[in-house]
């Protein structure tokens, strides 16, 4: 197959498509009807079948220290159980069943190890680590045999040294997230981009977070100089303020295509 890691690091090699919490929506034009649970192995398999470049999944830790794939702090929304991931054992977690969106129960929620084993050799995986467990995540990824397919990310503060060289990230592909956090603006996002791109552990991309238009243009210029990709989440107003994502209020496919076309015209080459 194609060298996905090579494409990720080649800033000029076209657009990469990232599926948010994997491919849980139906794809009727491809004969894939029915919804699948988010962050599930079944949704991962659907992404591979669709030819998606990367899946984005969320990582948390159980009470007994296992790394598992779950977006929310609790299992209430996505499974047939209740409670906080951080307060349940792995054994209890694996007794849960993910709820398919159109009713019925599906597989148990996966551990990070299980997910990486299923993804190995098939697709890139972006880890959204929901807790301060980066070192343990790195250990699991490096032991998985799929480390070459994994992209980790974290927010880069204004005065941070190149984060990709930190011990937790130095053996992996790392993407700094640049911009506002929880409504807090950030000063000099273009300067952050330039500084983060100086890492010896070369970064493949910058994730744009809630940037004003002028900030975006400055970050784009810095990213071009550094030859790194620009990543935008097109699913909510998270990339550039008010420009690309109003379309999602209606959710029409044509609006989605317009949003993606605008992103690509603007130089974004990884679209989630």
């Amino acid at each position: 197959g194609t060298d996905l890691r090579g494409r990720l690091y080649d800033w000029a090699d076209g657009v990469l498509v990232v599926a948010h919490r994997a491919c849980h929506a139906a794809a009727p034009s491809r004969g894939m009807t029915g919804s699948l649970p988010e962050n599930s192995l079944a949704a991962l398999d659907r992404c591979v079948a669709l030819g998606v470049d990367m899946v984005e999944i969320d990582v948390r830790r159980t009470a007994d220290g296992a790394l598992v794939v779950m977006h929310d702090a609790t299992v209430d929304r996505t499974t047939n159980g209740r409670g906080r991931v951080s307060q349940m054992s792995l054994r209890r977690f694996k007794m849960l069943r993910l709820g398919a969106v159109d009713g019925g129960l599906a597989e148990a929620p996966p551990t990070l190890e299980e997910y990486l084993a299923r993804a190995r050799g098939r697709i890139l995986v972006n880890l959204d680590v929901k807790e301060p467990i980066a070192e343990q995540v790195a250990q699991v990824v490096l032991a998985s045999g799929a480390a070459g397919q994994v992209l980790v990310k974290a927010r880069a503060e204004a005065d941070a040294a190149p984060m990709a060289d930190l011990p937790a990230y130095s053996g992996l592909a790392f993407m700094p997230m640049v911009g506002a956090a929880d409504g807090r603006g950030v000063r000099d996002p273009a300067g952050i981009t330039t500084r983060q791109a100086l890492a010896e552990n070369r970064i493949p991309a910058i994730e744009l977070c809630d940037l004003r238009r002028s900030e975006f243009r400055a970050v784009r210029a810095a990213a071009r100089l550094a030859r790194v990709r620009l990543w935008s989440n097109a699913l909510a107003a998270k990339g550039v303020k008010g420009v690309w994502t109003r379309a999602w209020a209606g959710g029409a496919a044509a609006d989605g295509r317009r949003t993606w076309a605008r992103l690509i015209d603007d130089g974004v080459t990884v679209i989630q």
Side-chain angles (χ1 to χ4, degrees), residues 77-263:
R77 179 177 63 86
T78 56
T79 78
N80 62 342
R82 298 185 69 79
R84 296 184 73 82
V85 175
S86 62
Q87 294 174 354
M88 63 180 64
S89 67
L90 176 62
R91 183 172 171 273
R92 185 173 153 221
F93 182 84
K94 290 301 292 183
M95 289 169 68
L96 300 168
R97 289 297 176 267
L98 294 168
V101 180
D102 37 17
L105 295 175
E107 67 195 64
T111 64
L112 180 58
E113 287 99 330
E114 289 169 339
Y115 203 97
L116 294 176
R118 183 73 71 96
R120 188 173 174 180
R122 303 168 81 203
I123 195 167
L124 294 167
V125 181
N126 173 232
L127 302 183
D128 188 353
V129 180
K130 295 296 189 185
E131 300 168 45
I133 51 177
E135 288 80 4
Q136 186 182 349
V137 169
Q139 289 169 1
V140 169
V141 171
L142 291 169
S144 71
Q149 297 163 236
V150 172
L151 175 67
V152 292
K153 63 185 175 187
R155 185 165 302 285
E157 299 297 341
D159 49 0
M163 294 176 68
D165 293 335
L166 292 172
Y169 305 126
S170 60
L172 302 170
F174 174 80
M175 176 173 68
M177 303 164 72
V178 176
D182 306 318
R184 287 186 302 118
V186 66
R187 66 178 193 278
D188 191 21
I192 295 173
T193 300
T194 298
R195 192 153 49 252
Q196 291 301 318
L198 293 173
E200 287 186 38
N201 175 29
R202 192 160 80 84
I203 63 169
I206 294 280
E207 180 169 353
L208 308 167
C209 299
D210 204 16
L211 296 173
R212 294 193 300 272
R213 191 76 196 164
S214 59
E215 293 174 323
F216 164 72
R217 283 194 291 263
V219 167
R220 178 176 63 188
R224 281 179 177 164
L225 279 175
R227 302 195 161 207
V228 298
R229 289 177 175 271
L230 293 177
W231 167 307
S232 183
N233 182 350
L235 289 170
K238 287 185 176 173
V240 173
K241 286 183 188 293
V243 177
W244 301 321
T245 48
R246 285 183 298 243
W248 286 100
D255 286 341
R257 285 194 291 272
R258 275 197 293 274
T259 299
W260 302 326
R262 178 76 185 272
L263 285 165

Side-chain angles (χ1 to χ4, degrees), residues 18-41:
V18 184
H20 184 242
R21 305 182 205 167
C23 297
H24 45 92
S29 67
R30 300 288 293 276
M32 299 177 193
T33 57
S35 300
L36 298 171
E38 67 180 53
N39 278 329
S40 65
L41 297 178

